[in-house]
Amino acid sequence: GGGGGGGGSPGGGAAPFLLFVAMALPTTAATCARWADANPAIEPPWSPTVLRRALRSTMNAFSSFSGVSNRRSFWKNPNDDDDRVDAAATVSVVVPALNEEAVIGSTLKHLASLDPQPLEVIVAVGDSSDGTASIAESLGAVVVSSGAVGRGRSRQMNAGALRAKGDVLIFLHADTQLPTDAVNVARRQLCAGKRTERTVLGGFVSLITVPDRDKTYWFLSTHNVAKTFYTVAAFRPKSFILGLRCLFGDQAMFCRRRDFEYVGGFDENLPIMEDADLCVRMHTAGPCPLSIGEDRTMNGGGGSTTMSASSGLTPPRLRSPGKWIDNGAPPKGHDEARDGAFERFVKREVEPAVDWFARGRVVLVNRVVTTSGRRIEDLGGNLKATFVHFLVGFSWYLGASPERMVEIYNKYYSDVR
């Protein structure tokens, strides 16, 4: 008869749960109603429109997980016209080049074979001291050369973007070659109506080669593709689901000019990781909400570059582009014991940041660019280069100041930029 000891009612544990539900549901409903009354101008997060947008964003995230951004969405809006690509959208190619006379000629000749052709090719030479500028001019490129621009890839790319007239910008390293249909690839990703209006930035799969030695860095090339996804999925999973990917400069990043200007371009205080930083800021800011006018101001939030190419209305600007602010030297009379430690660089947040489900989408297209492995060899090959990349990436992610990034840059990347 000992088996009857466990014969209690199987529903005995349900009463507390039912009591909890009976209390929680009306309390939650009352709280939601109170919030809606207090915020009449804000669309409630439980409204059908917001829920539909959230579901659509989630399904689109799954569709892009493989990295092939040109697949149709699982959740298709009947108002979207997926096949309408703006063939009239113009494309400017911006090439930052510091003392690149050995490779700039072949890169520009390859760009001349693109079909269709870009509107213009701009070579930003910074303070190059070799024949880069003269070679670029002889091959028909627009050369941006100014002592005020100085050295630094982010400064050079911003200077090139300042000169650009195209609707779309492609930032191409001097030792990287695009696929011949790159102009149409960029148009399909950025200029195809509602299907692409949330896409703010794109990049290619980068194949690292050393042509002189018939060598391809397969491991690093594969790892570059993988880290586009896993770095964001591991450290910013919510942003990953909503479209953030981590692209780097050797992937030939491209974007709409107005979106680039909306976030103030690259952060000129960063000597390295300016590309990943741009991905995060453009994702957080979302697409530029208005595309009117040609008067342009790249608000750097400290060390800004002013753009005023022609007359017209001024597009909206972020209150804060999310860059590092350089406060310069401590103010006169600063006492560390009394006033606390002086911080030369302060990182600001992107303001305003758009609603999570309206954030910008960063895509990796299923097309290949080839880039030189010469710097990988300078760093010591696969293993050491991977270690250096992780060191630089983690330092940036953990909030290392530009001063610290300069130290790392000078230690491992001498004569690179």
Side-chain angles (χ1 to χ4, degrees), residues 77-202:
N77 187 326
N79 295 322
D80 288 356
D81 185 354
D82 285 348
D83 298 320
R84 180 174 296 173
V85 177
D86 184 4
T90 54
V91 177
S92 297
V93 179
V94 178
V95 184
L98 177 67
N99 296 328
E100 294 282 13
E101 64 178 4
V103 297
I104 192 64
S106 61
T107 298
L108 294 178
K109 290 175 183 176
H110 179 76
L111 288 175
S113 69
L114 299 189
D115 184 22
Q117 277 283 290
L119 174 68
E120 59 191 348
V121 176
I122 300 169
V123 179
V125 298
D127 59 356
S128 292
S129 56
D130 64 356
T132 301
S134 59
I135 295 172
E137 286 177 342
S138 69
L139 292 172
V142 176
V143 174
V144 177
S145 177
S146 171
V149 173
R151 179 171 298 197
R153 188 171 284 160
S154 56
R155 291 188 180 93
Q156 291 170 243
M157 289 188 290
N158 281 348
L162 168 64
R163 173 62 178 77
K165 299 176 182 177
D167 303 310
V168 173
L169 305 175
I170 300 178
F171 295 98
L172 180 71
H173 287 187
D175 56 2
T176 302
Q177 295 193 345
L178 293 168
T180 55
D181 62 341
V183 169
N184 278 338
V185 170
R187 286 172 176 163
R188 285 195 296 269
Q189 299 302 321
L190 300 171
C191 309
K194 289 184 177 296
R195 178 174 64 87
T196 59
E197 65 182 8
R198 198 167 66 89
T199 302
V200 292
L201 196 61

Side-chain angles (χ1 to χ4, degrees), residues 101-388:
E101 64 178 4
V103 297
I104 192 64
S106 61
T107 298
L108 294 178
K109 290 175 183 176
H110 179 76
L111 288 175
S113 69
L114 299 189
D115 184 22
Q117 277 283 290
L119 174 68
E120 59 191 348
V121 176
I122 300 169
V123 179
V125 298
D127 59 356
S128 292
S129 56
D130 64 356
T132 301
S134 59
I135 295 172
E137 286 177 342
S138 69
L139 292 172
V142 176
V143 174
V144 177
S145 177
S146 171
V149 173
R151 179 171 298 197
R153 188 171 284 160
S154 56
R155 291 188 180 93
Q156 291 170 243
M157 289 188 290
N158 281 348
L162 168 64
R163 173 62 178 77
K165 299 176 182 177
D167 303 310
V168 173
L169 305 175
I170 300 178
F171 295 98
L172 180 71
H173 287 187
D175 56 2
T176 302
Q177 295 193 345
L178 293 168
T180 55
D181 62 341
V183 169
N184 278 338
V185 170
R187 286 172 176 163
R188 285 195 296 269
Q189 299 302 321
L190 300 171
C191 309
K194 289 184 177 296
R195 178 174 64 87
T196 59
E197 65 182 8
R198 198 167 66 89
T199 302
V200 292
L201 196 61
F204 295 83
V205 173
S206 174
L207 185 65
I208 305 171
T209 65
V210 185
D212 294 343
R213 297 176 53 191
D214 294 326
K215 182 176 182 179
T216 299
Y217 281 95
W218 293 109
F219 171 78
L220 280 174
S221 299
T222 304
H223 182 239
N224 276 353
V225 175
K227 71 183 179 184
T228 298
F229 300 94
Y230 79 73
T231 50
V232 185
F235 298 108
R236 291 186 177 226
K238 185 176 181 180
S239 294
F240 176 79
I241 291 173
L242 297 175
L244 178 61
R245 303 292 182 265
C246 190
L247 301 175
F248 295 93
D250 58 6
Q251 293 173 274
M253 296 163 62
F254 55 88
C255 59
R256 285 181 290 267
R257 191 185 69 189
R258 67 174 185 266
D259 294 337
F260 180 77
E261 293 170 359
Y262 183 53
V263 300
F266 291 99
D267 190 339
E268 297 184 3
N269 283 318
L270 286 175
I272 199 166
M273 294 298 292
E274 75 287 339
D275 33 27
D277 175 79
L278 183 70
C279 292
V280 173
R281 292 190 293 113
M282 293 189 77
H283 165 75
T284 305
C288 177
L290 205 57
S291 59
I292 57 175
E294 291 297 325
D295 279 0
R296 302 180 274 163
T297 301
M298 294 179 66
N299 179 12
S304 64
T305 302
T306 300
M307 309 181 80
S308 54
S310 60
S311 62
L313 297 175
T314 301
R317 297 290 169 234
L318 290 171
R319 290 194 299 272
S320 167
K323 296 183 180 182
W324 286 91
I325 306 300
D326 187 352
N327 292 319
K332 188 175 181 180
H334 176 81
D335 186 305
E336 187 167 324
R338 180 192 65 209
D339 304 323
F342 174 78
E343 293 186 49
R344 177 181 172 184
F345 289 98
V346 177
K347 185 75 164 74
R348 295 182 63 185
E349 298 297 324
V350 172
E351 296 178 5
V354 296
D355 176 80
W356 274 100
F357 296 112
R359 297 214 164 176
R361 184 168 178 248
V362 180
V363 300
L364 178 68
V365 299
N366 193 26
R367 300 300 302 281
V368 174
V369 297
T370 57
T371 188
S372 172
R374 55 188 173 141
R375 293 182 180 118
I376 303 301
E377 297 195 325
D378 290 342
L379 288 173
N382 275 308
L383 292 179
K384 186 175 180 181
T386 301
F387 166 76
V388 172

